[in-house]
Amino acid sequence: ADYAKTFDDWHGALTALMDGMESRKFKGYGNFLDFSASFFKDGSLRSSTSLTWFARSKSFSMRVDGSEPIIHFDTVNLVGIRRTDSIAIMATSGDYYPAETEFRGKKGRVYWDRHGLTDAYAFLGNYKVDVTKSLYSADSVKMTYPLYFGEERVLGKFEDKISTTTGANTASYPRFTSYESVLKLTDIGEGLTYTGGFRLHGLTVYGDSGGGPKATVELKNEGGKLIYRGIADAFVIRRGERIVGDQVNSAFYHGIDSIIHPSVNFRYNIPERILSLYRGDRAADRNPFYASQQDVNFDVDEVKILVAQDSILFGEQKKGIGKGNKAITIQSLQYFNARDYNRYQSIATYNPL
């Protein structure tokens, strides 16, 4: 390293900063001195007891823009460390503005390797990192994740965060959200297709509408025939494990008939190929299931479809004491109940029926 040139560049930057400093405004000057002490010691851009950002590079250069010192890196790994957690932007380039404590970067990759994924990563474009903070974000990022997208790169927004704790908060970063709201994922389980937006939080995939059409899950049997379609604002997807959602407009198809529900909780166990539709506590959830073949409503809390066995269970009994088992009520659409009829009218002058 050319230490003499480095010192001359640093001294020139300090002089320019002092010459351009307005009366009694010392923050930029103080930031530059703090940066210098830590950077020349261990390569850190800013260091504190709770958060440190490192610029790990073999070379850099200093220049002055007006009265502002700038440190330029052609190639650098930007690493943030906070206690036991760390994040990194690999093989990036950019300029660090010590007076503003801001790194302005171009390109670089962020990997999901802290979650054990070796082939999932985000390509950054232009971005900024405030090195006093543990969170940063970037727009127009290209996501590579062969398990879901094959060779395609998906455009979206990205954010990453260093955490002080372990658990759900740490596990939910890095995060990627696709701009496209009509992506199709087919390699998530046998016979399964998901269509909608895509969010990746750590290892968990959230399929949602992304402001566009609602998300859709479709399931086909071994013969390639559609047997289920669910439409909702969002689903949670764990590839090869399960898909879950709530308030799902559901239709299970058998032959030319179907069993439908307008708003039901949905869970599909991918390895066991078991589809569970169960009612929640919301008003719409409490609607009965409708079976077109018999033209009846089933007032039951759960319908379970065993896809591999080609069978359906209505209100499967729970083993044990106090499990809340109750009888199934089946009601024809031709059924008339005067009490229900009067209840719908209430105090109105006419009956909506």
Side-chain angles (χ1 to χ4, degrees), residues 17-54:
L17 186 63
M18 294 179 65
D19 290 344
M21 188 166 56
E22 297 181 20
S23 176
R24 304 186 67 81
K25 292 185 178 181
F26 305 116
K27 183 178 179 181
Y29 178 75
N31 286 344
F32 184 71
L33 290 181
D34 290 340
F35 155 76
S36 300
S38 60
F39 182 70
F40 289 115
K41 177 184 177 182
D42 57 16
S44 57
L45 300 180
R46 184 181 182 275
S47 182
S48 69
T49 56
S50 61
L51 175 66
T52 301
W53 282 94
F54 292 94

Side-chain angles (χ1 to χ4, degrees), residues 133-308:
K133 298 179 180 179
S134 59
L135 174 71
Y136 75 95
S137 61
D139 293 320
S140 300
V141 170
K142 294 180 180 179
M143 180 75 197
T144 293
Y145 199 171
L147 283 178
Y148 287 98
F149 308 134
E151 298 300 318
E152 182 182 1
R153 292 182 180 178
V154 176
L155 193 65
K157 58 184 179 180
F158 172 87
E159 61 180 345
D160 204 358
K161 181 181 181 180
I162 317 167
S163 178
T164 58
T165 59
T166 59
N169 188 48
T170 303
S172 71
Y173 288 90
R175 295 180 175 180
F176 173 83
T177 303
S178 68
Y179 291 147
E180 178 61 61
S181 61
V182 192
L183 291 170
K184 180 172 285 189
L185 307 179
T186 57
D187 193 20
I188 52 180
E190 183 180 356
L192 276 171
T193 299
Y194 164 79
T195 304
F198 179 92
R199 287 186 291 130
L200 180 61
H201 288 190
L203 286 174
T204 303
V205 172
Y206 296 89
D208 59 26
S209 59
K214 289 195 173 188
T216 302
V217 168
E218 293 183 337
L219 175 63
K220 294 181 180 180
N221 62 18
E222 292 179 351
K225 188 172 183 179
L226 180 68
I227 60 172
Y228 174 80
R229 177 182 288 120
I231 301 172
D233 289 328
F235 294 93
V236 178
I237 304 170
R238 293 299 294 263
R239 182 182 178 276
E241 297 180 18
R242 64 185 177 273
I243 302 180
V244 299
D246 56 18
Q247 295 179 275
V248 181
N249 187 328
S250 292
F252 170 70
Y253 304 102
H254 53 103
I256 61 173
D257 298 297
S258 61
I259 297 172
I260 64 174
H261 195 287
S263 176
V264 70
N265 294 329
F266 158 88
R267 180 184 181 91
Y268 183 61
N269 185 313
I270 295 174
E272 297 182 10
R273 303 189 69 198
I274 297 176
L275 172 61
S276 300
L277 305 174
Y278 52 99
R279 300 191 299 184
D281 297 324
R282 302 176 186 86
D285 295 356
R286 300 315 301 168
N287 280 300
F289 291 88
Y290 169 71
S292 66
Q293 185 177 27
Q294 295 82 15
D295 197 25
V296 296
N297 287 329
F298 285 86
D299 189 5
V300 62
D301 280 338
E302 182 178 11
V303 174
K304 182 176 288 187
I305 297 102
L306 309 180
V307 177

Side-chain angles (χ1 to χ4, degrees), residues 283-335:
D285 295 356
R286 300 315 301 168
N287 280 300
F289 291 88
Y290 169 71
S292 66
Q293 185 177 27
Q294 295 82 15
D295 197 25
V296 296
N297 287 329
F298 285 86
D299 189 5
V300 62
D301 280 338
E302 182 178 11
V303 174
K304 182 176 288 187
I305 297 102
L306 309 180
V307 177
Q309 287 79 25
D310 194 23
S311 59
I312 307 173
L313 300 177
F314 291 91
E316 182 184 20
Q317 287 207 344
K318 311 295 183 183
K319 295 181 179 180
I321 300 174
K323 295 296 183 179
N325 296 314
K326 64 180 183 179
I328 300 172
T329 301
I330 302 174
Q331 187 179 92
S332 168
L333 293 191
Q334 304 303 318
Y335 172 76

